Amino acid sequence: QVAAASGHTVVLVDQSDEILKKSTKGIEESLKRVTKKKFADKPEAGAEFIEKTLKNLTTSTDAVAVVHSTDLVIEAIVENMEVKNELFKRLDKFAPEYTIFASNTSSLQITELANSTTRQDRFGGLHFFNPVPMMKLVEVIKAPMTSQKTFESLMDFSKAVGKSPVSCKDTPGFIVNRLLIPYMMEAVRLFERGDASKEDIDVAMKLGAGYPMGPFELLDYVGLDTSKYIIDGWHSLEPNNPLFAPSPLLNKLVEEKKLGKKTGEGFYKYK
């Protein structure tokens, strides 16, 4: 959406036409929300903006066919190293030499993903934040093999879609999640030890640190399964790092399928 809205030609690829129809509808709805604010007193200009943006966007279920004429591939599929590697390996065979590959992963190693291709120098991380139309930040990840030219192209692209890029080396969690996940895990440990209630911890961080959500509200919003998946991955990379130690309570909730807002219950209950 943000790429198409900033004048780029975009092909959205997914597994089925059904998913793509749903995605396109979602983008249309999102654009309507954006234009309500952006063109509040100019509805005609708003309608024109939506039409122009949607013209820049086509869909396909065949990634290989599309990649022949692509400058940049941004992968945003399931957070699973094997599945991602398989996709990149396949696309690498068909993409032109100049095509840059980027992953929107929040927790997996860019270097390992790049190693599934023959273009390690034209491979980097582009980590957007949810919801992308609203959030200004993009983390641009330069792995050891990423060329300076590729890195600069990814920075330029981020600016061209109206974002504020920050750069980071290929370190677990990059900047935001590397600080955020251990903070949320520390909150769980504080609660597990019985030092404070989850409600009081949430109130304390909102009123004392000015955070829009407390750590338990944020965990429920992110998804307890996602948080567990990330911390388990980092724990296997650095088993002696106390910040990456698993939490018995988090494991128990995930086992009971209490995954947060999306399932109606996590640390809190939702109606």
Side-chain angles (χ1 to χ4, degrees):
Q1 181 188 323
V2 296
S6 52
H8 298 82
T9 305
V10 182
V11 185
L12 179 63
V13 179
D14 217 314
Q15 290 172 318
S16 72
D17 287 322
E18 202 182 333
I19 296 170
L20 287 165
K21 271 193 195 115
K22 212 171 151 191
S23 305
T24 310
K25 199 171 182 313
I27 288 173
E28 273 185 58
E29 295 302 315
S30 177
L31 283 168
K32 280 176 194 163
R33 284 196 296 275
V34 170
T35 48
K36 257 187 193 156
K37 281 184 187 163
K38 206 172 165 184
F39 302 97
D41 44 1
K42 292 184 227 150
E44 281 134 30
E48 198 184 313
F49 169 74
I50 293 176
E51 195 189 334
K52 218 165 154 189
T53 301
L54 291 173
K55 262 193 189 141
N56 289 335
L57 185 70
T58 51
T59 61
S60 172
T61 53
D62 187 351
V64 164
V66 168
V67 87
H68 287 291
S69 56
T70 304
D71 294 315
L72 173 65
V73 172
I74 303 176
E75 165 277 316
I77 64 171
V78 63
E79 280 288 81
N80 178 307
M81 188 64 89
E82 276 170 48
V83 183
K84 285 185 193 286
N85 278 343
E86 207 176 288
L87 175 70
F88 279 127
K89 205 183 220 162
R90 201 167 89 236
L91 295 183
D92 187 47
K93 290 190 183 96
F94 297 96
E97 211 172 290
Y98 59 80
T99 306
I100 293 174
F101 283 7
S103 176
N104 180 49
T105 181
S106 57
S107 66
L108 301 176
Q109 244 196 335
I110 297 295
T111 307
E112 200 178 322
L113 292 169
N115 285 343
S116 66
T117 72
T118 56
R119 63 185 75 221
Q120 288 98 327
D121 57 327
R122 283 149 292 151
F123 202 113
L126 268 185
H127 181 219
F128 289 82
F129 286 78
N130 250 336
V132 180
M134 310 296 295
M135 300 288 271
K136 292 294 282 183
L137 187 69
V138 178
E139 290 176 325
V140 179
I141 313 309
K142 189 179 195 284
M145 301 283 284
T146 311
S147 73
Q148 187 59 24
K149 190 182 170 200
T150 297
F151 171 70
E152 283 166 14
S153 297
L154 292 174
M155 290 293 276
D156 289 344
F157 173 75
S158 304
K159 289 174 191 162
V161 297
K163 300 301 174 196
S164 302
V166 293
S167 90
C168 184
K169 287 182 179 169
D170 190 16
T171 179
F174 316 133
I175 298 173
V176 175
N177 283 327
R178 178 61 182 79
L179 297 174
L180 192 60
I181 303 277
Y183 149 74
M184 294 195 293
M185 294 302 290
E186 274 301 291
V188 177
R189 292 181 196 114
L190 189 68
F191 173 54
E192 275 177 320
R193 290 195 299 270
D195 295 340
S197 73
K198 53 184 190 281
E199 291 81 1
D200 283 354
I201 295 169
D202 276 354
V203 169
M205 292 315 290
K206 284 190 285 192
L207 302 185
Y211 288 6
M213 276 185 213
F216 292 97
E217 292 172 311
L218 189 54
L219 277 158
D220 278 354
Y221 177 76
V222 169
L224 305 195
D225 50 341
T226 307
S227 307
K228 174 179 154 55
Y229 178 80
I230 294 171
I231 208 74
D232 287 353
W234 294 356
H235 181 62
S236 64
L237 283 176
E238 295 181 32
N240 299 323
N241 189 334
L243 289 175
F244 298 165
S247 146
L249 175 59
L250 184 64
N251 290 348
K252 181 175 172 284
L253 288 168
V254 172
E255 216 171 280
E256 291 168 358
K257 301 275 189 286
K258 294 173 183 169
L259 308 180
K261 271 194 128 157
K262 60 186 171 190
T263 58
E265 189 176 351
F267 284 103
Y268 297 114
K269 283 185 177 167
Y270 303 88
K271 277 197 177 112

